[in-house]
């Protein structure tokens, strides 16, 4: 047993220190980014925020709404072949869509079938497993890269520099970072495993960038300020679940509880998700996700305005004319309190 003494940070432990700036309006900030992916060689341009591949948020409807602002969507993996082929075949040119899958034989068989029918339209995939530290996962990335050299591969999740390097070297263009920070995640509670998300981002970004790779910070953002901190810490993409839940574009029905409109949101490893897609929880494991009822928030467009406005504003506070400059201009200061909650939490 060892104890690492370095302090690790979460979003709540820091604020971004303001810096002198020549920007006179938030409208002057460009929050899009351009990347050329290390392995696929493909070019990307967009606002590097990605809807999570959860069945509530990674929907076709969400993707279409996010396209308007050039955000990306990782579609959930439970759509059938025909639906995926139809969606990818009709994709607008500048839309960023990740086809998501796990690493099982059935996942791969389905991917091959869909690729055969929609091939050139599928440019990016998201290989998503709870535990990105297994040999089976690394081997899967290697063989996928070998079979599809021109595919942009996002893969995770991991939280440490050495595993980020292994995945970048093994064929991932984007390493997905985050174990246990999610809004409906119970991994830390059930297993005691995890890593404070801001430190994970800082350390994994450093490791990936050293090799020409990128990272996607996945999970734990609860406010636009957290998203700004993730970018400030070095994230190239930020993936959001909870912040995009509760909208018209989400999977799931509106429910009324005591006269208040609510929507259901749950982890992909929750009991309810396993019942829906796997016929229940396997006898040797526990669920690592929970289900919540959240307030209905209308069309996602309004939430996007808040989100993007917040990130633009963060950029002006540190004098970053482009999102690209935000991490270079970010100094985090450690804090013991960051919000005044005298009138409540919002
Ligand atoms: N970012 C995070 O912290 C987490 C995210 N999730 C999300 O939920 C989805 C479903 O997760 P889940 O059904 O738990 O698993 P996955 O879909 O990630 O399972 C992938 C494979 O890994 C094996 N495996 C070995 N050890 C583990 C482990 N500790 N946790 C999970 N799988 C393991 C599983 O086999 P076997 O089932 O036989 O063990 C399975 O074959 C994930 O794809 C992810 O999106 C879930 C948990 C954590
Ligand atoms: N441990 C678990 N993590 C999960 C589960 N379902 C999804 N996730 C992860 O959370 C993020 C989204 O985080 P949020 O804070 O933005 O809501 C998602 O992309 C997954 O990585 C789960 O059941 N258990
Ligand atoms: K995910």
């Amino acid at each position: 047993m060892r104890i690492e003494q370095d302090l690790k940070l979460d979003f709540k432990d820091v604020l971004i220190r303001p810096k002198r700036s020549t920007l006179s309006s938030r409208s002057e900030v460009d929050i899009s980014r351009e990347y050329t992916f290390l392995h696929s060689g493909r070019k990307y341009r967009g606002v590097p925020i990605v809807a999570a591949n959860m069945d509530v948020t990674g929907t076709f409807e969400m993707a279409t709404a996010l396209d308007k602002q050039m955000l990306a969507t990782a579609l959930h993996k439970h759509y059938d072949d025909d639906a995926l082929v139809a969606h990818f075949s009709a994709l607008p040119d500048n839309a960023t869509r990740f086809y998501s899958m796990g690493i099982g034989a059935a996942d791969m068989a389905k991917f091959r079938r869909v690729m055969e029918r929609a091939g050139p339209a599928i440019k990016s995939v998201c290989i998503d497993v709870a535990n990105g530290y297994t040999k089976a996962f690394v081997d899967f990335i290697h063989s996928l890269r070998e079979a599809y050299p021109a595919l942009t591969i996002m893969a995770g999740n991991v939280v440490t520099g050495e595993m980020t390097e292994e995945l970048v070297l093994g064929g991932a263009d984007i390493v997905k970072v985050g174990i246990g920070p999610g809004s409906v995640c119970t991994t830390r509670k059930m297993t005691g495993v995890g890593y404070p998300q801001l430190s994970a981002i800082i350390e994994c970004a450093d490791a990936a960038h050293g090799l020409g790779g990128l990272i996607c910070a996945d999970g734990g953002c609860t406010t636009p300020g957290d998203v700004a901190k993730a970018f400030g810490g070095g994230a190239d993409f930020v993936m959001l679940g909870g912040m995009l839940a509760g909208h018209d574009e989400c999977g799931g029905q509106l429910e009324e509880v005591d006269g208040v409109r609510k929507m259901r949101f749950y982890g992909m490893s929750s009991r309810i998700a396993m019942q829906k897609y796997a016929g229940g929880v396997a006898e040797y494991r526990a669920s690592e996700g929970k289900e919540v009822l959240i307030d209905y928030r209308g069309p996602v467009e309004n939430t996007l305005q808040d989100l993007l406005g917040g990130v633009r504003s963060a950029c002006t506070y540190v004098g970053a004319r482009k999102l690209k400059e935000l991490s270079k201009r970010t100094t985090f200061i450690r804090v013991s309190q960051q919000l005044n909650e005298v009138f409540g939490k919002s």
Side-chain angles (χ1 to χ4, degrees):
M1 196 278 298
R2 277 186 61 214
I3 299 179
E4 200 173 314
Q5 300 289 356
D6 285 0
L7 180 77
K8 302 295 177 187
L9 302 169
D10 248 309
F11 297 124
K12 68 167 187 15
D13 300 318
V14 302
L15 288 167
I16 300 171
R17 185 167 73 187
K19 276 195 176 69
R20 263 200 301 281
S21 156
T22 55
L23 290 162
S24 50
S25 163
R26 282 163 284 214
S27 63
E28 293 170 23
V29 177
D30 175 6
I31 54 167
S32 69
R33 298 259 358 222
E34 288 177 36
Y35 302 119
T36 301
F37 296 115
L38 176 66
H39 295 285
S40 73
R42 287 184 188 275
K43 291 198 184 317
Y44 160 88
R45 176 154 187 274
V47 173
I49 295 175
V50 191
N53 55 316
M54 302 169 74
D55 66 353
V56 169
T57 56
T59 63
F60 295 147
E61 295 79 6
M62 180 65 74
T64 302
L66 298 193
D67 282 346
K68 292 183 194 135
Q69 307 268 9
M70 287 169 51
L71 277 67
T73 301
L75 296 169
H76 70 72
K77 67 178 183 186
H78 302 291
Y79 284 118
D80 66 24
D81 294 27
D82 289 346
L84 286 164
V85 169
H87 181 80
F88 275 98
S89 304
L91 212 56
D93 266 351
N94 51 1
T96 306
R97 213 66 98 240
F98 291 86
Y99 175 105
S100 304
M101 61 175 156
I103 58 170
D107 287 303
M108 194 60 209
K110 177 175 171 187
F111 180 62
R112 284 214 184 87
R113 291 195 307 268
V114 175
M115 276 303 269
E116 246 165 56
R117 295 172 58 196
I122 301 180
K123 302 184 173 97
S124 316
V125 294
C126 169
I127 313 302
D128 177 42
V129 297
N131 176 5
Y133 284 76
T134 65
K135 182 172 181 302
F137 173 63
V138 176
D139 291 346
F140 186 89
I141 304 302
H142 274 271
S143 50
L144 189 71
R145 172 51 70 208
E146 228 171 77
Y148 299 97
L151 202 59
T152 299
I153 301 179
M154 172 154 75
N157 282 18
V158 301
V159 286
T160 51
E162 90 286 355
M163 206 58 202
T164 300
E165 284 168 359
E166 175 149 1
L167 293 175
V168 171
L169 293 172
D173 297 289
I174 310 165
V175 174
K176 204 148 66 72
V177 174
I179 293 191
S183 58
V184 281
C185 161
T186 58
T187 292
R188 291 176 183 178
K189 178 175 158 193
M190 295 306 290
T191 68
V193 177
Y195 210 95
Q197 182 68 353
L198 182 62
S199 283
I201 293 169
I202 294 169
E203 293 168 26
C204 295
D206 195 43
H209 296 166
L211 296 171
L214 301 174
I215 69 152
C216 176
D218 175 21
C221 288
T222 59
T223 58
D226 290 346
V227 177
K229 289 173 189 176
F231 285 126
D236 305 291
F237 290 88
V238 176
M239 180 174 271
L240 302 176
M243 283 185 71
L244 297 177
H247 296 102
D248 290 334
E249 293 80 0
C250 293
Q253 300 296 314
L254 265 176
E255 292 174 34
E256 212 166 291
V257 181
D258 299 331
V260 183
R261 290 190 290 176
K262 301 268 185 188
M263 286 182 90
R264 237 162 250 282
F265 181 49
Y266 46 84
M268 294 315 293
S269 178
S270 63
R271 176 169 299 276
I272 175 178
M274 284 191 264
Q275 255 149 13
K276 210 163 157 186
Y277 300 115
V281 183
E283 70 202 356
Y284 57 90
R285 57 168 295 187
S287 109
E288 286 182 31
K290 64 182 175 186
E291 180 189 18
V292 292
L293 254 185
I294 60 178
D295 287 346
Y296 166 63
R297 296 198 273 169
V300 74
E301 200 182 322
N302 306 340
T303 300
L304 285 188
Q305 184 172 345
D306 272 359
L307 169 60
L308 304 185
V311 174
R312 271 190 207 99
S313 188
C315 288
T316 61
Y317 273 110
V318 298
R321 197 169 289 276
K322 292 173 181 274
L323 182 60
K324 183 180 181 181
E325 296 162 17
L326 180 58
S327 71
K328 294 188 192 97
R329 299 187 66 87
T330 292
T331 303
F332 288 122
I333 43 175
R334 279 180 52 205
V335 296
S336 55
Q337 181 193 332
Q338 51 169 313
L339 304 176
N340 182 339
E341 291 178 348
V342 68
F343 296 126
K345 285 193 183 286
S346 58

